[in-house]
Amino acid sequence: MFSWLKARSPESRQARSGVRDRWGGWASVALILAVILVPPALIRGQREPMRFDDRHLRQLQTLQPEYVFVGSSTLLSRIDPARIGTLRPGTHAYLLGEVGSMSALWYLWVKNSLLPSGVRPKVLFIHFRDTELTDPIDETGSVVGQEKIARNRVGDERLFDRVMGYHKGVIGRLREGLLRLYPIQETWRKSGLWLIDGIGFFAASPEYRVYLRKRLFGSDPITSDEAAEVVAERGRFKARLAGEIFSSANQRVLKGKGGLTGGADERLDFSARLEHAFLPELVRLGKEVAARVIFVRMEPRPPMDDSSLTESGAMGDYQAALRGYLAREGVELHDFNDERAFKFDMYLDGGHIKPEFRSFYTERFVERLSEAFR
Amino acid sequence: MSHAPHDARMFKVLSGVLGKSVEEVARLAERQEPHGESFWDSLQHINIILGLEAEFGIRFELLEAVDLKTVPLIRAKLAVLVR
Amino acid sequence: MIFHSLDFLLFFLFVLAVYWQLGRRAQNLFLLGMSYFFYGYVHPWFLYLIFASTVVDYFCGLTIARHPEKKRFVLWFSIVSNLTFLCYFKYFGFFVDNVAELLHLLGLPSFTNTLDIFLPVGISFYTFQSMSYIIDVYAGRLKARENFFEFALFVVFFPQLVAGPIERAITFLPQIEKERSISATDVRDALFLLVWGFFKKLVIADNVAYIANKLFALEETTFALAWTGVFAFGVQVYADFSAYTDIAHASARLIGFKLSPNFNHPFIAASPAEFWKRWHISLSSYIQDYIFLPLYFRFRTRGVRYAVEKGLLITFFLIGLWHGAGWNFILFGIYHGMLVIVYDRCKVVTPIGIRENPWMRPFQILLMFSLANVGFLLFRESEMDYILRHLTLSPLAATGELQWRAACFLFGQALFFSLPLWIHTAYAHMGHRLIPAESWFRTFLQVMVSAAMFLAILVARGDSEEFIYFQF
């Protein structure tokens, strides 16, 4: 019945046998491939030592905070620890947060920084968006993500590796394999960025152009002071760019619909995701370390007319299942999706609050959860 | 250089529209495959249609005009339309 | 599935490994299955749409062939059904938003658009491609196809499915219907093209995208900063889209197909008409054949200039609208249409000695590049007040020292990243004279440059962004 599928025309046979006959041509293709692919694999480069970064641990020990917040950049844009200090005098708050982090890193922070610090906060707040409690990976598959993990893990992380291994899948493993095959992706990346910055600085700074000319073509040697001054000036310029031109106060509010509330066609099976999530460990460690654990679901930006956002049915079911799970575990969940105090104009984008409204947000947060801040 | 009876007049029209010498147009035409890309743009295409209509006293229909994309295709069409 | 993902790498290696073991018919069936897998990889429901579009056009083609007396009706049925899909998914939300806005402006009771219609990737591309088949069958230029699977493969062929080039049935179907072969030269050329495509996407486009995104996000800006952002975006959109095209060409070539050209160094165009002959060629030639020429023939009884200019304005309006449901895209189209008309009118009054003088060409290119950048601003910026702000910023206004240095810093970087594009253009126009096409030195040079580009991809790629043209 399917014999026609196997039928090969004389031309096609000829084409394939033609391919085999011209071994010289194929050898040249193999040689070209080797010249392109092999040399970068031979460059190992100087890998920066990836040690555990104890910054959070030390700061927690110094501050001894009563309130600890865990989350990503969306948390950092919302909560001002200094404002909490003024609203509740005599208390301290600490943000265990980093841009682009998700529950994989939150778990590592609580386990490797908060728990060993000896700090026992009154309340541990864990801020998340939509499905982040069961989605451990964001950029953790990238070079930057891997650096973050390396800075926060300690020795044998069996549970961590098991959960991450599940989420990595074939593609994640392939990506890791490529990183091992081409370590220059990691070891040369900073040099690449430094070079690109240097090109911009060359265009922006007449002094740098003079310095480079002297360094490359001058007869007098460059003194170490001169070199240090150039590096320092470059740093100052970059800091001014970040602090003045590209400060968050000078960012446009991008118009558009509100934040994401989950795609309508996405399958959001909470119990299936829970089996491969850090959430159970996060809950267990949270209860061990803090007197009270509160999960906070952060709201996305509302639509331009500040009307309420509609949530997809799948997301509604997921949130109901999450709420049920957390209730069974004896921890609280506060969902800010029904909060009406935060208007469209207060947001920088779909998920972040503008810096000038951070204090206001913190006040409203403390007011709404006043009982937790007693 | 001419390959067909109407080439000389056709190249004259193309040369006028494209602002190139007749020799240069003929050279470009030589390099063109029968169904390849034309070396003129949409406005020049219209001007070429108008020029050919005036030169040969014919009138192209839409479907014929769409096909007049390259020198070999114009040559073939003229062979049919101009007796 | 996106080209610069490991998913695609695995997928494509699998396709290659199986494909060349099969006979032509099985190859076609296999490619059809793989193309559906490719398209439905993230959102399987996309497949319903493309399948519906395929079935409609397949049967319309057959009906035209079997019942010529009904061919006009069938043509319109096909066009209307294709455009209904396209308009619903692409333009309905925009239409509803504008009706609500209009009611609000008129002081009438308005409403909030709660529709959130998800745009299926590549719908504008495959709809046009499928329509070309029906129009050509109607016009008698093409025979209606009996083999459904081969026709379906033409619609869903994965290398060019989501961002073109828009293939014509008349050139692509014959490739599906004949035996295909591959030689070492094909593979070698495809390899170079793949590396160049990935380099353009990951190193050039993704790095300048960072600059453009930062500058377009500024609330307070200056002339130099704003137009540096536009320049960076212009480089980004060309590098990004032409990279997609190159990867599509290379992938197709590795399975024995040849796709239509889509770019021919657009930044050295000296006039708007030439720009559109070099930029997104498959779309502009499609529009020329299926929209501009019919419009011209419709209006020609009212005078040539009237027919040309009216045809151009409508055509470019549609080109703008094709790119997206937004007033900025419509403005983008009309702006380019007006440019073509103004240039054409100026041409009549400009002495040929100036117009065709080779020494004038660099100035003409520079002017056209600047005008194209204004077009890129309209393409990128969806908010009218920010477009106006950009256009009214004065180059003479006092600029703070830091702002000026910041613009130099970012322009320097954007220019640096765009250098390979300029070098490529210069090489395409002059390199052949210096290095013979079939010389060993040329191959050696290609290998060395490809090796350097691969190294750059590893160490200097930007944060990965989706291909811009996926949204169309």
Side-chain angles (χ1 to χ4, degrees), chain A residues 188-246:
Chain A
W188 279 24
R189 192 163 175 80
K190 284 203 174 119
S191 313
L193 292 173
W194 188 87
L195 176 75
I196 292 161
D197 258 7
I199 285 156
F201 196 54
F202 178 83
S205 165
E207 295 82 14
Y208 188 56
R209 290 197 288 272
V210 171
Y211 165 81
L212 273 188
R213 200 176 311 133
K214 195 172 161 191
R215 181 166 181 163
L216 295 173
F217 308 111
S219 48
D220 299 331
I222 299 281
T223 65
S224 55
D225 283 354
E226 277 177 296
E229 174 51 26
V230 165
V231 173
E233 172 54 26
R234 200 160 139 171
R236 283 195 292 273
F237 174 67
K238 287 275 302 197
R240 284 188 73 195
L241 276 190
E244 295 177 42
I245 307 256
F246 298 110

Side-chain angles (χ1 to χ4, degrees), chain C residues 189-465:
Chain C
D189 291 347
L191 271 180
F192 293 143
L193 203 52
L194 272 180
V195 177
W196 174 229
F198 281 114
F199 176 80
K200 276 197 284 188
K201 170 64 188 155
L202 299 170
V203 179
I204 302 180
D206 285 350
N207 276 307
V208 288
Y210 178 76
I211 297 169
N213 291 344
K214 279 200 105 119
L215 289 171
F216 271 92
L218 289 181
E219 182 62 48
E220 294 292 327
T221 190
T222 63
F223 180 87
L225 282 170
W227 287 96
T228 294
V230 176
F231 169 75
F233 178 70
V235 171
Q236 181 201 349
V237 74
Y238 170 54
D240 188 280
F241 192 19
S242 65
Y244 182 91
T245 303
D246 288 346
I247 299 167
H249 271 255
S251 314
R253 195 150 179 190
L254 288 172
I255 46 178
F257 287 85
K258 190 167 183 279
L259 300 180
S260 318
N262 225 10
F263 290 95
N264 182 19
H265 308 283
F267 289 164
I268 54 157
S271 71
E274 190 187 344
F275 178 82
W276 283 97
K277 210 173 144 39
R278 293 174 175 275
W279 176 273
H280 204 172
I281 297 165
S282 65
L283 174 71
S284 54
S285 69
Y286 184 102
I287 296 265
Q288 183 192 347
D289 288 357
Y290 295 115
I291 298 176
F292 175 65
L293 276 177
L295 285 171
Y296 169 76
F297 272 81
R298 192 177 181 81
F299 301 135
R300 72 185 276 182
T301 50
R302 299 172 70 176
V304 171
R305 180 159 292 281
Y306 175 85
V308 166
E309 292 187 354
K310 190 164 178 183
L312 278 172
L313 273 183
I314 297 174
T315 301
F316 274 96
F317 167 81
L318 293 173
I319 286 186
L321 200 60
W322 179 90
H323 278 92
W327 286 106
N328 62 313
F329 288 117
I330 293 171
L331 266 180
F332 166 78
I334 292 175
Y335 167 75
H336 271 281
M338 292 301 295
L339 277 187
V340 175
I341 291 171
V342 169
Y343 259 70
D344 193 48
R345 288 197 173 202
C346 290
K347 207 169 152 183
V348 181
V349 293
T350 314
I352 195 157
I354 295 178
R355 216 170 63 211
E356 302 296 334
N357 186 337
W359 293 103
M360 292 300 290
R361 194 165 164 86
F363 298 102
Q364 292 166 347
I365 290 173
L366 200 63
L367 177 62
M368 185 56 226
F369 182 70
S370 311
L371 293 170
N373 270 297
V374 177
F376 290 134
L377 165 68
L378 303 175
F379 195 96
R380 170 68 161 76
E381 182 56 76
S382 58
E383 292 176 36
M384 292 301 142
D385 40 351
Y386 282 93
I387 291 176
L388 261 179
R389 183 193 69 174
H390 263 72
L391 294 174
T392 51
L393 283 168
S394 166
L396 304 174
T399 302
E401 184 248 349
L402 181 64
Q403 276 83 357
W404 174 248
R405 287 180 68 195
C408 291
F409 180 84
L410 295 167
F411 184 77
Q413 289 185 334
L415 191 65
F416 171 74
F417 281 116
S418 70
L419 273 181
L421 299 176
W422 308 114
I423 294 170
H424 182 233
T425 296
Y427 175 75
H429 285 80
M430 290 179 283
H432 293 284
R433 283 181 226 155
L434 303 172
I435 308 161
E438 291 305 317
S439 68
W440 69 267
F441 182 65
R442 186 163 179 226
T443 308
F444 172 75
L445 207 63
Q446 280 177 315
V447 176
M448 289 300 122
V449 170
S450 299
M453 287 194 295
F454 181 64
L455 191 65
I457 290 170
L458 290 174
V459 298
R461 64 177 182 275
D463 287 337
S464 190
E465 300 220 352

Side-chain angles (χ1 to χ4, degrees), chain A residues 8-9 19 250 252 265 305, chain C residues 21 179 182 217 219-220 381:
Chain A
R8 288 178 179 179
S9 71
V19 164
N250 194 25
R252 266 167 69 175
D265 64 336
D305 60 359
Chain C
Q21 303 303 318
E179 299 296 332
I182 188 159
E219 182 62 48
E220 294 292 327
E381 182 56 76

Side-chain angles (χ1 to χ4, degrees), chain C residues 14-78:
Chain C
F14 172 72
V15 168
L16 282 183
V18 176
Y19 178 82
W20 289 109
Q21 303 303 318
L22 306 171
R24 182 184 66 80
R25 287 173 182 166
Q27 277 179 342
N28 285 347
L29 268 190
F30 176 66
L31 273 187
L32 180 64
M34 287 293 101
S35 295
Y36 280 134
F37 175 77
F38 174 89
Y39 193 54
Y41 185 64
V42 178
H43 297 288
W45 68 269
F46 283 2
L47 294 175
Y48 294 122
L49 275 177
I50 200 164
F51 191 70
S53 180
T54 307
V55 169
V56 166
D57 286 331
Y58 171 73
F59 283 108
C60 284
L62 283 184
T63 313
I64 288 174
R66 288 171 190 169
H67 306 282
E69 72 285 359
K70 293 182 188 160
K71 71 175 192 176
R72 202 175 171 78
F73 169 77
V74 177
L75 171 76
W76 281 109
F77 175 78
S78 162

Side-chain angles (χ1 to χ4, degrees), chain A residues 72-79 126-132 257-262 295-303 306-311 315 319 323 333-354 357-358 360-362 364-366 368-369:
Chain A
S72 66
S73 59
T74 45
L75 163 73
L76 300 180
S77 80
R78 280 169 169 75
I79 299 296
I126 299 173
H127 280 58
F128 68 98
R129 282 186 300 177
D130 294 345
T131 57
E132 284 177 338
K257 296 204 166 133
L260 296 173
T261 53
F295 283 86
V296 179
R297 184 186 177 204
M298 289 173 288
E299 76 301 334
R301 178 173 67 177
D306 293 316
S307 58
S308 48
L309 275 169
T310 45
E311 191 158 77
M315 179 59 78
Q319 293 300 330
R323 184 177 294 277
L333 169 66
H334 287 269
D335 191 337
F336 272 63
N337 271 31
D338 59 5
E339 178 61 53
R340 295 275 79 86
F342 310 131
K343 306 295 181 200
F344 177 86
D345 286 341
M346 295 181 183
Y347 290 80
L348 199 57
D349 53 32
H352 300 83
I353 291 281
K354 281 185 192 169
F357 291 106
R358 191 172 174 224
F360 171 77
Y361 192 103
T362 308
R364 175 70 194 122
F365 183 82
V366 172
R368 186 165 157 168
L369 273 71

Side-chain angles (χ1 to χ4, degrees), chain A residues 109-319:
Chain A
W109 289 336
V110 174
K111 177 176 157 291
N112 298 334
S113 292
L114 182 57
L115 192 65
S117 72
V119 172
R120 294 295 174 259
K122 278 201 226 168
V123 188
L124 172 66
F125 295 98
I126 299 173
H127 280 58
F128 68 98
R129 282 186 300 177
D130 294 345
T131 57
E132 284 177 338
L133 289 174
T134 52
D135 293 339
I137 304 177
D138 184 11
E139 54 177 67
T140 35
S142 66
V143 175
V144 178
Q146 294 211 348
E147 275 179 19
K148 279 184 189 169
I149 290 171
R151 278 191 285 105
N152 288 290
R153 63 179 294 157
V154 285
D156 187 21
E157 296 276 9
R158 211 165 290 172
L159 174 86
F160 181 84
D161 291 336
R162 183 176 59 77
V163 175
M164 293 298 277
Y166 172 82
H167 286 273
K168 252 183 247 167
V170 179
I171 300 298
R173 281 168 219 281
L174 190 61
R175 192 175 283 126
E176 278 186 359
L178 282 175
L179 200 56
R180 272 196 290 275
L181 182 63
Y182 294 114
I184 54 165
Q185 292 180 83
E186 205 180 320
T187 54
W188 279 24
R189 192 163 175 80
K190 284 203 174 119
S191 313
L193 292 173
W194 188 87
L195 176 75
I196 292 161
D197 258 7
I199 285 156
F201 196 54
F202 178 83
S205 165
E207 295 82 14
Y208 188 56
R209 290 197 288 272
V210 171
Y211 165 81
L212 273 188
R213 200 176 311 133
K214 195 172 161 191
R215 181 166 181 163
L216 295 173
F217 308 111
S219 48
D220 299 331
I222 299 281
T223 65
S224 55
D225 283 354
E226 277 177 296
E229 174 51 26
V230 165
V231 173
E233 172 54 26
R234 200 160 139 171
R236 283 195 292 273
F237 174 67
K238 287 275 302 197
R240 284 188 73 195
L241 276 190
E244 295 177 42
I245 307 256
F246 298 110
S247 68
S248 46
N250 194 25
Q251 298 296 301
R252 266 167 69 175
V253 175
L254 297 172
K255 296 203 174 67
K257 296 204 166 133
L260 296 173
T261 53
D265 64 336
E266 223 178 321
R267 286 185 64 236
L268 300 171
D269 184 345
F270 175 76
S271 42
R273 286 172 179 233
L274 188 65
E275 287 174 32
H276 306 287
F278 291 108
L279 179 58
E281 269 306 286
L282 211 47
V283 169
R284 189 187 67 75
L285 287 168
K287 286 199 288 196
E288 190 180 328
V289 80
R292 197 168 164 188
V293 182
I294 298 178
F295 283 86
V296 179
R297 184 186 177 204
M298 289 173 288
E299 76 301 334
R301 178 173 67 177
M304 279 175 78
D305 60 359
D306 293 316
S307 58
S308 48
L309 275 169
T310 45
E311 191 158 77
S312 71
M315 179 59 78
D317 293 345
Y318 174 95
Q319 293 300 330

